[in-house]
Amino acid sequence: MKSIFYFLNKQKKGCLDAVDLLKMWCNKNGVEVYPIEKLKNFKGDLKDSFVISLGGDGTMLSVAKTAIKYSLPIMGVNLGSLGFLSNIRESELLLRLDMIKNGKFYLQMCNLLSTKIKGKELIGLNDIVMKSFDIHRMIKIKLFLDDKEISTISADGVIISTPLGSTAYSLAAGGPIVYPDIDAFLITPICPHLLVQRPILVKSSSKITLVPISKNAIISADSQKVLKVSENEKVVLSNYSKKIKIIKFKDFDLFDILKEKFHLGKDPRI
């Protein structure tokens, strides 16, 4: 391990303590540590380096694009309340750093979604969503899969989700949980007007085209960057050219997180 680049959400309680803990460990173990901003002009070797996100899931979504750009693995440390992507507790930070140093980890390679709107690229780690900018009005969207028209969705919108994002907005909209390394994308209507419009799982090599036939459409990636979409404008979504590398540990997997965070399998009557 050569270098660690950290991104800090200063709004989180105890964030400076987490940075101090990280710096203390790095000094003790001969590892260089820098704020993420240093990556832009970094001249050293990035081999055996990685990014740490200190905050919550939103923090990790913000810094993930930088980690992808430099092909660096990322680990999320949760300083908030829920934490699904950033599932390492602050109290575990030193233990997990020791495990990484000793090679006791693996990299989970996850697909991302991408699209271009009017020359601007959107990249979604969790999802890319098309919906109405007027929350009181539904939207009509034509859905094409590999240039074949599948349906016209009348709903509050539609979520195109990665497997990693299947436990985010898509899950709240009634979509299934998809294991992160499954090679697929998920199409989930948001509050559809027709009961027959249900979530669809498609292969990640699919070309998904959304065409709003309403004038009130917007599109966003990971609920962060929002762009307007014109009526009848084709929006083509596909698998991004790079994958995100997430640092994982064998003693804590997806179902452990689902049980802890979402109470999966618990009977409320007991």
Side-chain angles (χ1 to χ4, degrees):
M1 189 189 308
K2 290 183 178 179
S3 306
I4 296 175
F5 297 86
Y6 67 88
F7 182 78
L8 175 67
N9 185 341
K10 295 180 180 179
Q11 303 301 316
K12 296 292 184 180
K13 185 178 179 181
C15 61
L16 296 179
D17 292 337
V19 173
D20 288 341
L21 202 62
L22 172 62
K23 289 180 177 178
M24 179 194 73
W25 185 92
C26 288
N27 289 335
K28 182 179 176 182
N29 289 274
V31 176
E32 296 176 338
V33 59
Y34 307 97
I36 196 75
E37 294 79 12
K38 294 290 185 180
L39 259 177
K40 186 176 181 180
N41 299 308
F42 190 74
K43 303 298 183 183
D45 186 359
L46 289 177
K47 186 180 179 181
D48 298 326
S49 301
F50 67 97
V51 172
I52 285 186
S53 166
L54 299 165
D57 285 354
T59 310
M60 190 162 172
L61 287 171
S62 296
V63 73
K65 309 300 190 299
T66 302
I68 295 161
K69 179 180 179 181
Y70 293 94
S71 299
L72 291 175
I74 184 170
M75 181 176 78
V77 178
N78 178 29
L79 304 181
S81 55
L82 183 57
F84 191 87
L85 293 174
S86 53
N87 53 63
I88 304 300
R89 303 179 187 88
E90 184 183 358
S91 60
E92 297 177 324
L93 178 57
L94 297 182
L95 169 65
R96 299 303 179 181
L97 289 171
D98 284 340
M99 291 177 73
I100 294 171
K101 180 184 176 182
N102 295 320
K104 296 180 179 179
F105 72 99
Y106 67 96
L107 295 180
Q108 188 175 66
M109 311 291 284
C110 298
N111 288 331
L112 298 98
L113 279 161
S114 72
T115 188
K116 285 187 177 179
I117 306 291
K118 300 177 177 69
K120 297 180 179 179
E121 187 174 44
L122 293 179
I123 300 171
L125 175 63
N126 270 346
D127 48 47
I128 292 179
V129 179
M130 182 179 285
K131 60 182 179 179
S132 169
F133 63 77
D134 183 349
I135 61 172
H136 301 293
R137 297 184 67 181
M138 71 177 189
I139 189 173
K140 289 187 177 181
I141 302 168
K142 284 188 177 181
L143 169 65
F144 296 80
L145 190 61
D146 294 327
D147 297 320
K148 179 180 175 61
E149 186 172 350
I150 302 300
S151 67
T152 298
I153 297 172
S154 297
D156 286 353
V158 62
I159 305 162
I160 312 300
S161 166
T162 66
L164 193 64
S166 70
T167 51
Y169 195 0
S170 176
L171 182 65
I177 295 168
V178 182
Y179 208 80
D181 57 5
I182 288 179
D183 213 15
F185 290 130
L186 181 59
I187 303 170
T188 308
I190 307 169
C191 299
H193 188 252
L194 298 176
L195 293 176
V196 293
Q197 292 181 330
R198 310 307 303 161
I200 305 171
L201 194 67
V202 302
K203 57 187 179 182
S204 64
S205 60
S206 302
K207 181 176 73 172
I208 302 166
T209 303
L210 305 177
V211 182
I213 51 177
S214 305
K215 296 180 179 180
N216 53 333
I218 56 173
I219 195 163
S220 64
D222 293 334
S223 302
Q224 294 182 338
K225 191 173 183 180
V226 181
L227 298 173
K228 288 185 177 180
V229 184
S230 303
E231 184 180 7
N232 294 319
E233 181 178 2
K234 287 187 177 181
V235 179
V236 180
L237 295 86
S238 58
N239 200 351
Y240 187 54
S241 57
K242 295 183 179 180
K243 294 178 183 284
I244 187 166
K245 308 172 190 175
I246 302 178
I247 294 173
K248 293 289 183 179
F249 305 92
K250 291 182 178 180
D251 63 326
F252 200 57
D253 67 9
L254 172 68
F255 294 103
D256 293 320
I257 301 169
L258 289 171
K259 289 175 183 177
E260 179 184 347
K261 308 296 183 181
F262 295 157
H263 308 294
L264 178 72
K266 287 187 178 180
D267 188 336
R269 298 168 297 179
I270 298 176

